[in-house]
Amino acid sequence: MTTKAAVTGVGMSQIGRRTERPAMAHLVEAAKRALHCAGLTKDDIDGIATYPGKADNSPGMSPLGTGEVRNALGLKTRWHSAIPDGPSQMAPIMVAAMAVATGQARHVLCFRALTESSSQTAAQRASIPGAGKARLGGWLSNLVPAGAMSASNWAGWMAMRYFHEFGMTREHLGMVATGERAFARLNPLAVMQTPLTMDDYLAARMISSPLGLFDCDVPIDGACVVIVSAADAARDCAREPLIIEAMGAALGSQETWDQRADLTTMGAHDAGADMWLRTDMKPEDIDVLALYDGFSIFVPYWLEALGFCGHGEAKDFIAEGNIGPGGRFPVNTGGGQLSGGRLHGFGLLHEACTQLWGDGGDRQVANAKTAVCGMGGGFIAGSMLLRRD
């Protein structure tokens, strides 16, 4: 069932590595671009949402809250949300869609801002549990003593199990990484522009076997804004509204990465199944795929979770050339997070919208009318279908 909401504008700041630029400067730039894209002014925005809210658990991971962004942009909002828990990084987009559908707001500005690259030091590393703090609680307290200090370790376990079960090789994941790099080189906003060959990929240092350097996404400084509008309000915006056709969410029964009953699946599988129940569309109807790639292994998981191939069949689906430039189901046409830069899913949605509006330049997918976006790794996930009429 189609929701009563649409994406009407997107904007991204000039992202980069170690920009030494304040997070707010990135955010203001992205917001201005999104407002211009939608043909709206700050006075039209009456809602604001973000993931995960202001936090200090990892350097530069989420330095801005809804209040300070609201004030910096001069917004007069009547509804707000900051969600650390929920359907992964897609939570603010999904909650915004529900807010405009129920009349809580008309136009919601959803944002993600990071300075992970500039904030890292030898003692304070981004995306490491505890970020140098003395004590840890919950399930992380069981993993860290085992040396599993990073999500790369947890994803490595999953990849190793998937390799064992289905015969996937590093070369298959190399096709994911090199394909996304080829797309990135066609995207002026992507941070990684150097060509990446399979030999380069295989020669790179190992991070957490079987995942090497180019299997991991790239920490950056930057911001991305997505504007979600009520369906009737969207008709007055500058761009053709991108209708949110369906959404799906998941939270695994065991809120850990390592205790899932089947490590060859993720929360993505539950979110995908939930989403397809809410629409008459099918995987074969989709033109553009924006799939969470915090690590390359997540791409085959998402492909299977969303029904583009069967369980255990992703390696062959990838080897057949389906997901790279010129493929039937192009994945992460902006370079994804492996080569475009880590905006925790927001950049993927930005690219999906760019494609549906026909603004992809040299990487544009011909006549793209539908897109699926999946965000999240491990036990949490959110998925969304977008279409233009």
Side-chain angles (χ1 to χ4, degrees):
M1 179 181 296
T2 303
T3 63
K4 298 177 181 179
V7 175
T8 54
V10 297
M12 187 182 294
S13 72
Q14 187 63 46
I15 63 176
R17 307 196 73 182
R18 295 196 175 277
T19 65
E20 306 301 336
R21 188 183 184 202
M24 189 63 78
H26 284 286
L27 188 281
V28 170
E29 181 183 5
K32 287 181 176 178
R33 290 178 175 176
L35 289 169
H36 177 76
C37 177
L40 298 171
T41 71
K42 64 182 180 63
D43 295 330
D44 295 310
I45 302 297
D46 56 357
I48 187 168
T50 190
Y51 161 90
K54 192 169 185 176
D56 64 356
N57 61 321
S58 182
M61 196 271 193
S62 190
L64 301 178
T66 55
E68 58 197 309
V69 170
R70 176 184 186 271
N71 293 336
L73 296 177
L75 305 180
K76 297 178 181 178
T77 57
R78 57 195 175 100
W79 180 90
H80 72 282
S81 176
I83 305 176
D85 291 327
S88 71
Q89 302 86 349
M90 192 171 280
I93 312 293
M94 299 175 77
V95 172
M98 291 184 274
V100 300
T102 56
Q104 307 304 306
R106 300 284 283 166
H107 301 285
V108 180
L109 185 147
C110 306
F111 71 89
R112 184 81 183 95
L114 310 99
T115 54
E116 284 193 300
S117 183
S118 292
S119 299
Q120 294 187 87
T121 67
Q124 297 285 312
R125 305 298 294 173
S127 301
I128 297 295
K133 294 181 180 179
R135 298 182 67 86
L136 288 170
W139 64 283
L140 290 174
S141 63
N142 297 318
L143 296 183
V144 172
M149 293 293 293
S150 164
S152 64
N153 305 132
W154 318 333
W157 295 334
M158 296 167 61
M160 189 68 78
R161 187 66 195 180
Y162 191 97
F163 277 31
H164 173 76
E165 292 285 347
F166 302 121
M168 179 174 271
T169 66
R170 293 201 67 222
E171 283 79 2
H172 291 110
L173 293 186
M175 293 175 194
V176 175
T178 56
E180 292 196 16
R181 180 64 61 87
F183 277 129
R185 299 190 69 221
L186 302 176
N187 178 11
L189 291 176
V191 294
M192 305 300 287
Q193 296 289 339
T194 305
L196 179 67
T197 68
M198 183 64 75
D199 287 343
D200 296 330
Y201 167 85
L202 293 172
R205 72 178 185 270
M206 190 61 64
I207 301 298
S208 186
S209 184
L211 304 180
L213 178 64
F214 296 117
D215 293 302
C216 306
D217 61 9
V218 183
I220 58 165
D221 302 336
C224 185
V225 167
V226 177
I227 297 175
V228 177
S229 304
D232 59 335
R235 290 194 290 267
D236 297 325
C237 291
R239 294 294 186 93
E240 179 182 356
L242 303 180
I243 304 300
I244 298 176
E245 170 72 18
M247 304 185 297
L251 175 63
S253 58
Q254 292 173 313
E255 296 182 36
T256 69
W257 286 58
D258 60 317
Q259 296 301 311
R260 188 175 176 90
D262 182 356
L263 290 180
T264 67
T265 68
M266 298 193 301
H269 292 70
D270 306 312
D274 186 39
M275 181 189 72
W276 291 120
L277 290 175
R278 304 174 189 277
T279 178
D280 292 329
M281 294 175 65
K282 305 295 182 185
E284 56 266 26
D285 299 320
I286 305 304
D287 299 316
V288 175
L289 284 66
L291 305 181
Y292 199 76
D293 58 339
F295 302 97
S296 60
I297 188 62
F298 291 170
V299 171
Y301 276 62
W302 270 108
L303 287 169
E304 295 178 6
L306 293 171
F308 290 97
C309 55
H311 191 202
E313 297 176 359
K315 70 180 192 304
D316 298 322
F317 188 82
I318 291 167
E320 290 164 3
N322 284 297
I323 71 171
R328 169 63 184 86
F329 295 104
V331 172
N332 298 345
T333 53
Q337 300 187 149
L338 297 179
S339 286
R342 179 168 69 214
L343 278 163
H344 289 107
F346 267 62
L348 304 179
L349 186 57
H350 180 284
E351 175 65 16
C353 295
T354 297
Q355 288 287 336
L356 295 188
W357 280 319
D359 295 334
D362 291 339
R363 66 189 187 281
Q364 179 63 45
V365 175
N367 199 33
K369 293 183 178 180
T370 57
V372 63
C373 184
M375 297 187 198
F379 57 88
I380 57 173
S383 58
M384 179 176 291
L385 281 177
L386 293 172
R387 63 172 174 82
R388 64 177 177 89
D389 291 331

